[in-house]
Amino acid sequence: MNNTVVTACNPNYLWGAWLLIASMRKNGMKEPVLVLGFQFEPAHCRVLEALGDVRVVCQNDFERSLTCSKPEALLLAETEYLTWADCDGFFIGNCSDRLIWPDPGLIHIRQRSVEENDVLFRKVSREKGVPAAVLDIWRRDVGERETPRYDRCCSACFLALHSGHRPFLERWSRQMRTVLPQGDHGVLDTKLFAYFQTDESVLNSLLFYGNDVPAIAPYYQLDKDRSAFFVHFISQPKPWQAWTPASFRFFREYTDLVVWAVEHDYPLPGKIPLSLRQNCYCANRLRSYGAVPLRKLKSLKRRLGI
């Protein structure tokens, strides 16, 4: 089908976007790719465009965290279907037939399990499920339905929908400008309570309480079969920086992309970092055990002003 895969990044995530696109091309996925690039230089554009059928739209400024640019990036695509994929993810196998849902009235997105949903909201509440206080704020801010349509939230790392839902994307963008503060406060901002997941929280508020919004597809198609799978590296550090024990299970598949690109003479975003060198398996495995404690130590130092 006529579909564009869309992502966004700045130079810090250039390796991620490059690997995402490389995973598509290595696996025979021929969809055009649109990248909304922030603070890009011409060299950044060229290295992505060299992977084939990639259009980079450059933008210098954005008023919030780049994760909130998703609807703007999607609206730049001109195809019948629009697919968002976070640039800190990649495809295993050819997933073209599983990107979009056959019914154009539905949004293809992953709805969290009950257990995952509970863990998610522990950041702001001890209440099971979506906290009642969060639902009250979402209902008030959306101002349409009185009862929520769902009881579990969706993850915004991947979503695909028909271009007929462009008004929904525009509304998502407007709603973020309405309920989120200006400035880059990161992907997560627990000070916001009802919107601590920023763009994702706003998206879920609309899916829960909006009237003219796409319904969620009955199930997510990209986590059932390891031969056609979308992997999202949710935590820090990212694999082009260092591995964690959780992410390391995808070491071979991810570093295979670099090997493939070198074999096919594709330009690289830079010198291959240690974490992406397939011949450094043991060193990366050992380093992965210290990645999370080191991240926590750095975070603690920042909070203490050390």
Side-chain angles (χ1 to χ4, degrees), residues 133-304:
V134 170
L135 292 174
D136 287 342
I137 294 171
W138 287 0
R139 180 176 59 249
R140 179 201 67 198
D141 289 347
V142 175
E144 292 179 356
R145 292 174 58 92
E146 285 299 314
T147 57
R149 187 179 283 107
Y150 305 107
D151 60 358
R152 291 174 289 126
C153 289
C154 293
S155 167
C157 70
F158 174 95
L159 62 92
L161 71 174
H162 190 270
S163 58
H165 293 299
R166 292 174 72 90
F168 169 68
L169 296 175
E170 293 166 352
R171 184 175 184 194
W172 182 15
S173 179
R174 288 196 307 273
Q175 193 73 353
M176 281 193 279
R177 292 196 297 272
T178 299
V179 302
L180 299 181
Q182 286 194 353
D184 185 352
H185 301 279
V187 176
L188 296 176
D189 186 357
T190 53
K191 295 178 183 177
L192 297 180
F193 183 59
Y195 297 106
F196 71 96
Q197 283 203 293
T198 58
D199 67 298
E200 187 173 298
S201 295
V202 177
L203 174 67
N204 280 294
S205 73
L206 294 173
L207 293 174
F208 272 49
Y209 287 104
N211 285 331
D212 190 17
V213 302
I216 298 171
Y219 61 88
Y220 181 61
Q221 301 185 115
L222 293 172
D223 64 351
K224 306 292 186 294
D225 180 357
R226 186 63 181 264
S227 68
F229 203 87
F230 179 67
V231 178
H232 180 222
F233 297 113
I234 189 171
S235 63
Q236 297 282 353
K238 301 303 180 183
W240 57 91
Q241 301 165 325
W243 294 91
T244 67
S247 64
F248 193 77
R249 66 189 187 275
F250 298 108
F251 177 84
R252 291 292 186 194
E253 290 95 336
Y254 208 50
T255 55
D256 268 347
L257 301 172
V258 180
V259 173
W260 169 84
V262 170
E263 289 176 348
H264 289 78
D265 296 321
Y266 286 106
L268 305 177
K271 181 180 178 181
I272 301 174
L274 174 64
S275 61
L276 296 179
R277 298 178 192 171
Q278 195 166 81
N279 61 348
C280 296
Y281 178 92
C282 293
N284 277 297
R285 185 175 182 87
L286 288 172
R287 292 177 74 229
S288 72
Y289 296 118
V292 174
L294 181 60
R295 182 196 73 203
K296 291 181 178 179
L297 178 61
K298 290 180 178 178
S299 177
L300 177 61
K301 285 183 176 180
R302 283 196 300 270
R303 290 199 300 269
L304 296 177

Side-chain angles (χ1 to χ4, degrees), residues 40-49 58:
F40 266 27
E41 297 177 1
H44 300 140
C45 301
R46 288 195 296 269
V47 76
L48 297 179
E49 292 166 348
C58 294

Side-chain angles (χ1 to χ4, degrees), residues 86-101:
D86 273 8
C87 66
D88 53 351
F90 77 108
F91 295 99
I92 296 176
N94 190 323
C95 299
S96 290
D97 291 342
R98 306 189 189 198
L99 295 180
I100 59 180
W101 196 264

Side-chain angles (χ1 to χ4, degrees), residues 43-62:
H44 300 140
C45 301
R46 288 195 296 269
V47 76
L48 297 179
E49 292 166 348
L51 290 166
D53 205 2
V54 177
R55 178 164 69 102
V56 180
V57 178
C58 294
Q59 186 169 326
N60 289 327
D61 299 310
F62 194 72

